[in-house]
Amino acid sequence: MSALTPRPGIMKIAPYVPGKDSVDGKEPIAKLSSNEGALGPSPKAMAAYAKAAADLHRYPDGASEKLRKAIGRHYGLDPERIICGAGSDEILNLLVRSYCGPGDELLYSQYGFLMYPINALGVGATPVAAPENDYRSDVDAMIAKITDKTRVVCLANPNNPTGSYVTKDDVRKLQKALPKNVLLVIDAAYAEYVSKNDYESGVELVDQFENVVMTRTFSKIYGMGGLRLGWMYGPAGIVDVISRLRQPFNVNLAAQLAGIAALEDIAHTDASRTNNDIWLPWLAAELTKLGLKPLPSVGNFVSVGFGSKERAAAANDWMMKDGLIPRMIAGYGMPEFLRITVGTEKEVKLVQDSLARFVAQNK
Ligand SMILES: Cc1ncc(COP(=O)(O)O)c(C=O)c1O
């Protein structure tokens, strides 16, 4: 009898390595490795979470109905066309499992979110990366990579880890070039942070076309990564498909209640956005003054070029010694960069101070 063997593709997966959360086993002064939302969760979400404790013996509402209605009200969307998940990661995985299989291709942009190729390999499909232009997704390059095997195209907009975004005209151009049997997944995890006139999150395209979905998360601006809550908005046909495959109780009770409360706390969300609007440009400008190369970002993080992988690794060690945790992104093919989440005023100033001392000693 032959030995136990996993399905094809799985052993090609390099396991996803999350951002570090401690320095030599100790609590960091600032964890800036996972883009978690500088201000943390809303006090209202925390209160809803605490209140859920008495009901932990109850199964959650399997359809997340109240939460879907709250998302629908907040974003002006039809709740019937929303599906909630255990993080947008779960939804991204369900979409790939539903529409991609052995022999198919999943297309994404060179520095796109790592879960896209991982999900493709997990179903035995081939991940195909289109080259980027100056760390920006290049829709023409993506279109050039479409073949008759392409089944799913994943576009993070804005993208992690580069922080760049694709204009609405370019996303439309990409959609237009796709055959009708190819799904376009617009992963808008950082949409709430963007205030550019030529950006749209994907809602408009979902409303217009049968082969486009948009995914969103509570892990970033809502500061609830620990609870695992995300959602997608899609055409009725795709919502029906995903509803068949998803686990019946995929979103836990506390996440549903805290998610509703977080949406209601507009002041907290506004404060989180304002924090980013102030400290992202400040940090980028300060790092530029130090001679470093921050990529232009519209997310709640910035990827900073150090000129070489050795210097980036040295800067990582230096920051860690100061109790600050950035993210090394060699796994994305960007070993000469560190990605740094935009934290609070105190945190970004510590980053500036740490890197100023680093640069002074490591010209
Ligand atoms: C572009 C992008 N998409 C999706 C996710 C997954 O978010 P979550 O599963 O926490 O909703 C992340 C998290 O870092 C991300 O950066």
Side-chain angles (χ1 to χ4, degrees):
M1 218 182 269
S2 59
L4 191 62
T5 318
R7 286 188 297 106
I10 294 180
M11 297 313 287
K12 290 189 199 147
I13 296 175
Y16 184 85
V17 182
K20 287 199 166 60
D21 59 6
S22 65
V23 184
D24 292 335
K26 282 193 281 272
E27 276 278 305
I29 291 167
K31 176 176 185 285
L32 304 169
S33 54
S34 302
N35 306 339
E36 288 162 331
L39 304 191
S42 145
K44 292 188 173 149
M46 288 192 259
Y49 174 79
K51 216 170 146 215
D55 287 321
L56 291 188
H57 56 310
R58 304 281 178 215
Y59 276 88
D61 167 16
S64 301
E65 197 175 330
K66 288 196 183 115
L67 173 61
R68 284 190 294 108
K69 284 193 173 141
I71 295 170
R73 266 196 310 279
H74 186 83
Y75 289 97
L77 306 174
D78 175 3
E80 294 302 314
R81 288 167 49 203
I82 292 171
I83 290 198
C84 297
S88 49
D89 272 344
E90 186 196 18
I91 309 262
L92 293 167
N93 184 267
L94 286 167
L95 287 163
V96 175
R97 281 166 59 205
S98 299
Y99 290 98
C100 228
D104 295 337
E105 291 177 356
L106 178 145
L107 178 58
Y108 68 111
S109 192
Q110 184 179 4
Y111 301 112
F113 186 44
L114 265 183
M115 289 312 297
Y116 311 150
I118 289 179
N119 285 333
L121 291 169
V123 296
T126 306
V128 176
E132 296 207 357
N133 192 354
D134 202 13
Y135 300 100
R136 294 172 174 278
S137 302
D138 175 344
V139 296
D140 292 315
M142 291 180 81
I143 291 168
K145 291 275 187 188
I146 298 168
T147 71
D148 56 5
K149 291 187 182 145
T150 312
R151 285 290 159 272
V152 175
V153 178
C154 290
L155 180 72
N157 200 25
N159 184 51
N160 165 26
T162 54
S164 62
Y165 72 103
V166 177
T167 64
K168 58 183 168 191
D169 288 348
D170 273 351
V171 181
R172 280 167 190 270
K173 184 176 180 185
L174 175 62
Q175 192 283 331
K176 215 170 162 191
L178 296 179
K180 286 204 174 67
N181 65 345
V182 176
L183 172 67
L184 174 60
V185 179
I186 303 174
D187 172 355
Y190 300 92
E192 287 86 356
Y193 290 107
V194 191
S195 55
K196 299 276 184 192
N197 291 335
D198 58 354
Y199 171 81
E200 63 187 12
S201 63
V203 168
E204 300 79 358
L205 280 181
V206 171
D207 283 338
Q208 252 177 297
F209 301 102
E210 293 299 312
N211 64 340
V212 184
V213 299
M214 171 191 71
T215 58
R216 301 289 283 259
T217 184
F218 279 78
S219 303
K220 307 301 170 188
I221 206 161
Y222 295 107
M224 285 175 38
L227 267 187
R228 313 306 301 125
L229 182 58
W231 53 281
M232 75 163 221
Y233 178 60
I238 300 177
V239 167
D240 174 53
V241 169
I242 301 302
S243 304
R244 291 164 197 266
L245 191 61
R246 76 166 177 83
Q247 299 288 310
F249 303 106
N250 60 334
V251 180
N252 71 73
L253 181 93
Q256 292 189 29
L257 296 173
I260 294 168
L263 289 171
E264 284 166 1
D265 196 348
I266 309 256
H268 185 77
T269 310
D270 285 349
S272 303
R273 190 179 293 110
T274 302
N275 182 82
N276 205 60
D277 287 347
I278 297 171
W279 298 113
L280 169 64
W282 182 86
L283 182 61
E286 291 296 318
L287 298 180
T288 306
K289 278 188 220 159
L290 295 177
L292 303 174
K293 299 264 179 313
L295 296 177
S297 171
V298 295
N300 67 335
F301 56 89
V302 60
S303 284
V304 189
F306 285 82
S308 72
K309 65 177 183 193
E310 291 77 16
R311 196 159 176 248
N316 179 72
D317 294 348
W318 181 279
M319 287 180 73
M320 295 283 275
K321 286 207 179 88
D322 282 342
L324 310 172
I325 312 187
R327 176 69 162 267
M328 297 191 79
I329 47 175
Y332 281 91
M334 297 172 65
E336 67 277 37
F337 287 83
L338 293 183
R339 193 192 69 195
I340 303 173
T341 303
V342 175
T344 58
E345 172 174 3
K346 187 175 158 213
E347 290 170 336
V348 292
K349 289 189 170 165
L350 287 171
V351 169
Q352 188 277 342
D353 177 65
S354 176
L355 287 177
R357 284 182 283 106
F358 171 79
V359 166
Q361 293 211 10
N362 298 269
K363 288 284 177 203

Short mmCIF file of all heavy atoms in Angstrom, two decimals, residues 37-61:
data_model
loop_
_atom_site.label_atom_id
_atom_site.label_comp_id
_atom_site.label_asym_id
_atom_site.label_seq_id
_atom_site.Cartn_x
_atom_site.Cartn_y
_atom_site.Cartn_z
N GLY A 37 -4.71 48.15 13.17
CA GLY A 37 -5.60 49.25 13.56
C GLY A 37 -5.04 49.92 14.80
O GLY A 37 -5.08 49.35 15.90
N ALA A 38 -4.54 51.17 14.62
CA ALA A 38 -3.75 51.81 15.67
C ALA A 38 -4.51 52.00 16.98
O ALA A 38 -3.92 51.90 18.05
CB ALA A 38 -3.26 53.17 15.17
N LEU A 39 -5.79 52.27 16.91
CA LEU A 39 -6.52 52.62 18.14
C LEU A 39 -7.17 51.42 18.80
O LEU A 39 -7.88 51.57 19.80
CB LEU A 39 -7.57 53.69 17.84
CG LEU A 39 -7.04 54.99 17.18
CD1 LEU A 39 -8.13 56.06 17.18
CD2 LEU A 39 -5.79 55.52 17.87
N GLY A 40 -6.98 50.24 18.23
CA GLY A 40 -7.60 49.05 18.83
C GLY A 40 -9.11 49.06 18.59
O GLY A 40 -9.62 49.86 17.82
N PRO A 41 -9.82 48.15 19.27
CA PRO A 41 -11.26 48.05 19.01
C PRO A 41 -12.03 49.20 19.67
O PRO A 41 -11.56 49.82 20.62
CB PRO A 41 -11.63 46.71 19.66
CG PRO A 41 -10.60 46.48 20.71
CD PRO A 41 -9.34 47.14 20.23
N SER A 42 -13.24 49.41 19.18
CA SER A 42 -14.14 50.39 19.79
C SER A 42 -14.51 49.93 21.20
O SER A 42 -14.76 48.74 21.43
CB SER A 42 -15.40 50.47 18.93
OG SER A 42 -16.54 50.68 19.72
N PRO A 43 -14.60 50.85 22.15
CA PRO A 43 -15.06 50.47 23.50
C PRO A 43 -16.44 49.81 23.43
O PRO A 43 -16.76 48.94 24.23
CB PRO A 43 -15.13 51.81 24.25
CG PRO A 43 -14.26 52.75 23.48
CD PRO A 43 -14.25 52.28 22.06
N LYS A 44 -17.25 50.22 22.45
CA LYS A 44 -18.59 49.61 22.32
C LYS A 44 -18.47 48.15 21.89
O LYS A 44 -19.23 47.29 22.33
CB LYS A 44 -19.42 50.39 21.31
CG LYS A 44 -19.76 51.77 21.83
CD LYS A 44 -20.74 52.50 20.95
CE LYS A 44 -21.15 53.78 21.66
NZ LYS A 44 -21.46 54.87 20.77
N ALA A 45 -17.52 47.87 21.01
CA ALA A 45 -17.30 46.49 20.57
C ALA A 45 -16.80 45.65 21.75
O ALA A 45 -17.20 44.50 21.94
CB ALA A 45 -16.30 46.44 19.42
N MET A 46 -15.93 46.25 22.56
CA MET A 46 -15.41 45.52 23.73
C MET A 46 -16.54 45.19 24.70
O MET A 46 -16.61 44.09 25.26
CB MET A 46 -14.33 46.34 24.44
CG MET A 46 -13.04 46.40 23.66
SD MET A 46 -11.72 47.07 24.70
CE MET A 46 -11.64 48.73 24.12
N ALA A 47 -17.45 46.14 24.90
CA ALA A 47 -18.58 45.92 25.82
C ALA A 47 -19.48 44.81 25.27
O ALA A 47 -19.93 43.93 26.03
CB ALA A 47 -19.36 47.22 26.00
N ALA A 48 -19.72 44.81 23.96
CA ALA A 48 -20.57 43.77 23.36
C ALA A 48 -19.91 42.40 23.50
O ALA A 48 -20.57 41.39 23.78
CB ALA A 48 -20.83 44.11 21.89
N TYR A 49 -18.61 42.38 23.34
CA TYR A 49 -17.84 41.14 23.48
C TYR A 49 -17.97 40.59 24.91
O TYR A 49 -18.24 39.41 25.13
CB TYR A 49 -16.38 41.40 23.13
CG TYR A 49 -15.47 40.24 23.38
CD1 TYR A 49 -15.41 39.19 22.48
CD2 TYR A 49 -14.67 40.18 24.51
CE1 TYR A 49 -14.58 38.10 22.70
CE2 TYR A 49 -13.83 39.11 24.74
CZ TYR A 49 -13.79 38.07 23.83
OH TYR A 49 -12.98 37.00 24.06
N ALA A 50 -17.80 41.49 25.87
CA ALA A 50 -17.88 41.06 27.28
C ALA A 50 -19.28 40.53 27.59
O ALA A 50 -19.43 39.52 28.29
CB ALA A 50 -17.54 42.25 28.19
N LYS A 51 -20.28 41.18 27.04
CA LYS A 51 -21.67 40.78 27.30
C LYS A 51 -21.96 39.38 26.73
O LYS A 51 -22.79 38.64 27.27
CB LYS A 51 -22.61 41.81 26.66
CG LYS A 51 -23.85 42.05 27.46
CD LYS A 51 -24.63 43.24 26.91
CE LYS A 51 -26.12 42.95 27.12
NZ LYS A 51 -26.94 43.46 26.07
N ALA A 52 -21.27 39.05 25.67
CA ALA A 52 -21.49 37.75 25.02
C ALA A 52 -21.09 36.59 25.93
O ALA A 52 -21.53 35.45 25.73
CB ALA A 52 -20.71 37.68 23.70
N ALA A 53 -20.27 36.88 26.94
CA ALA A 53 -19.71 35.79 27.78
C ALA A 53 -20.80 34.90 28.38
O ALA A 53 -20.64 33.68 28.45
CB ALA A 53 -18.85 36.40 28.89
N ALA A 54 -21.91 35.50 28.77
CA ALA A 54 -22.96 34.72 29.44
C ALA A 54 -23.66 33.76 28.48
O ALA A 54 -24.36 32.84 28.93
CB ALA A 54 -23.98 35.67 30.06
N ASP A 55 -23.48 33.96 27.19
CA ASP A 55 -24.20 33.13 26.21
C ASP A 55 -23.28 32.19 25.43
O ASP A 55 -23.65 31.70 24.36
CB ASP A 55 -24.92 34.04 25.21
CG ASP A 55 -26.13 34.70 25.85
OD1 ASP A 55 -26.81 34.01 26.63
OD2 ASP A 55 -26.36 35.89 25.59
N LEU A 56 -22.11 31.94 25.99
CA LEU A 56 -21.14 31.14 25.21
C LEU A 56 -21.60 29.71 24.96
O LEU A 56 -21.05 29.04 24.09
CB LEU A 56 -19.77 31.14 25.91
CG LEU A 56 -19.02 32.47 25.91
CD1 LEU A 56 -17.61 32.29 26.43
CD2 LEU A 56 -18.96 33.09 24.52
N HIS A 57 -22.59 29.25 25.70
CA HIS A 57 -23.09 27.89 25.45
C HIS A 57 -24.00 27.85 24.21
O HIS A 57 -24.32 26.80 23.70
CB HIS A 57 -23.84 27.37 26.67
CG HIS A 57 -24.98 28.23 27.12
ND1 HIS A 57 -24.86 29.58 27.32
CD2 HIS A 57 -26.27 27.93 27.39
CE1 HIS A 57 -26.02 30.08 27.72
NE2 HIS A 57 -26.89 29.09 27.75
N ARG A 58 -24.42 29.00 23.74
CA ARG A 58 -25.32 29.06 22.59
C ARG A 58 -24.54 29.05 21.28
O ARG A 58 -23.53 29.74 21.15
CB ARG A 58 -26.13 30.36 22.61
CG ARG A 58 -26.92 30.58 23.88
CD ARG A 58 -28.19 29.77 23.88
NE ARG A 58 -28.94 29.94 25.12
CZ ARG A 58 -29.65 28.98 25.70
NH1 ARG A 58 -29.70 27.77 25.18
NH2 ARG A 58 -30.30 29.21 26.81
N TYR A 59 -25.06 28.33 20.31
CA TYR A 59 -24.50 28.45 18.96
C TYR A 59 -24.83 29.85 18.44
O TYR A 59 -25.86 30.42 18.77
CB TYR A 59 -25.15 27.43 18.02
CG TYR A 59 -24.49 26.07 18.10
CD1 TYR A 59 -24.92 25.13 19.02
CD2 TYR A 59 -23.43 25.75 17.25
CE1 TYR A 59 -24.31 23.88 19.10
CE2 TYR A 59 -22.82 24.51 17.33
CZ TYR A 59 -23.27 23.58 18.25
OH TYR A 59 -22.66 22.37 18.33
N PRO A 60 -23.94 30.37 17.59
CA PRO A 60 -24.26 31.68 17.01
C PRO A 60 -25.34 31.55 15.94
O PRO A 60 -25.63 30.43 15.50
CB PRO A 60 -22.93 32.10 16.38
CG PRO A 60 -22.22 30.82 16.09
CD PRO A 60 -22.66 29.84 17.15
N ASP A 61 -25.90 32.66 15.53
CA ASP A 61 -26.81 32.66 14.38
C ASP A 61 -26.00 32.24 13.15
O ASP A 61 -25.08 32.94 12.74
CB ASP A 61 -27.40 34.07 14.21
CG ASP A 61 -28.11 34.23 12.87
OD1 ASP A 61 -28.40 33.20 12.22
OD2 ASP A 61 -28.35 35.38 12.48
#
